[in-house]
Amino acid sequence: MISHQSALILHGLEISDLDLRRVHLTNLRGPGRSGRHVCQHVAEPAIGAVTVIGEVQVTPAPRAVVESILSTSYPVAVSVVDAALRARLATTDELLELVRRFGRRHGVRAALRAVAFGDGRAESVGESRMRVLLAVLGLPAPIPQAVITDRSGEFVARVDFLLAEWDVVVEFDGTGKYADRDALVAEKLREDRIRDLGYQVVRATWSDLSTPAAFAARLHRAVNRAGPARHRS
């Protein structure tokens, strides 16, 4: 049986930060042998059927998701769940039911939290990790992929996150987001239009995820500047 991490890749999921130093496998014929580089799991609960991609037998997508999130950190687990929901490889109910079938195995409680928190509207690993950070900061759940319109109802932008209580927009800038100068200029003009409507815009990068204190301070300053959200008609 192929590793759970490799199965996710073959199923087309974007994954990041999974610990690949030790390969996790499900053995259909017993516990197998585990060592420094390989960890073989008994197929409990039983796997009803395998999936074949090309000529390779892989763990079915929902099972691969659950097996992977059982052995990783909560933020990474959320990014895997988000990607699975976005790709429609599984539903939240399917993942919850499958996690519960693992009983008291280590990681089940965190996996249940990650699945319950999952949201397929997150369009990248960075956005998934940002959702986790915003929750850790104690903020109300943001609206992912929120549509901003002007006062006449004309479309202005679709933003990564909207903190609707304060008219604060959070944009996550991953690497390579702006391929050329024209794209960068267009993004600056787009952001100007958003600010002209009264929104505060806070940009975040990967470094903010690993050192969140400065980001949290910038975000709270934006919230204070924005004040309570205004009704927009």
Side-chain angles (χ1 to χ4, degrees):
M1 180 65 66
I2 201 164
S3 75
H4 309 138
Q5 301 96 324
S6 297
L8 292 180
I9 295 171
L10 288 174
H11 282 295
L13 289 194
E14 178 193 6
I15 60 174
S16 177
D17 292 340
L18 283 175
D19 187 352
L20 303 179
R21 291 173 298 179
R22 201 172 187 218
V23 178
H24 291 260
L25 303 160
T26 296
N27 194 319
L28 298 177
R29 297 180 178 83
R33 293 175 124 186
S34 294
R36 181 178 178 184
H37 301 294
V38 177
C39 179
Q40 297 194 35
H41 301 278
V42 179
E44 294 178 357
I47 297 177
V50 298
T51 299
V52 178
I53 299 178
E55 298 181 355
V56 181
Q57 280 191 328
V58 300
T59 311
R63 175 79 175 228
V65 169
V66 169
E67 293 269 20
S68 295
I69 67 176
L70 284 171
S71 57
T72 191
S73 67
Y74 175 73
V76 175
V78 169
S79 71
V80 173
V81 172
D82 284 357
L85 296 177
R86 181 171 66 252
R88 299 185 179 182
L89 293 178
T91 66
T92 298
D93 288 343
E94 287 173 336
L95 294 176
L96 286 173
E97 174 59 27
L98 186 52
V99 173
R100 293 187 184 106
R101 289 175 57 196
F102 281 81
R104 296 185 179 181
R105 179 168 156 178
H106 177 74
V108 164
R109 291 180 65 182
L112 287 172
R113 284 180 56 222
V115 173
F117 189 70
D119 191 324
R121 291 174 292 178
E123 293 188 338
S124 68
V125 173
E127 290 182 22
S128 297
R129 298 285 296 275
M130 179 53 61
R131 287 202 311 115
V132 174
L133 176 56
L134 293 174
V136 169
L137 295 177
L139 295 167
I143 302 172
Q145 308 307 319
V147 172
I148 304 294
T149 59
D150 63 19
R151 291 170 182 83
S152 65
E154 288 284 329
F155 175 85
V156 173
R158 183 165 60 89
V159 298
D160 293 341
F161 300 104
L162 174 64
L163 298 174
E165 288 80 358
W166 304 285
D167 285 346
V168 172
V169 166
V170 178
E171 294 276 63
F172 186 85
D173 291 339
T175 57
K177 188 170 184 177
Y178 310 116
D180 53 39
R181 183 177 181 278
D182 289 342
L184 180 59
V185 170
E187 175 58 23
K188 288 182 177 296
L189 293 174
R190 168 184 173 274
E191 186 170 313
D192 284 345
R193 292 190 67 194
I194 295 171
R195 293 184 190 277
D196 286 345
L197 292 172
Y199 293 92
Q200 295 291 317
V201 180
V202 179
R203 293 201 166 272
T205 63
W206 280 99
S207 63
D208 292 313
L209 298 175
S210 56
T211 55
F215 169 77
R218 286 194 290 116
L219 184 58
H220 282 114
R221 287 196 296 270
V223 166
N224 291 333
R225 288 194 301 269
R230 292 165 289 178
H231 175 70
R232 299 175 188 277
S233 56

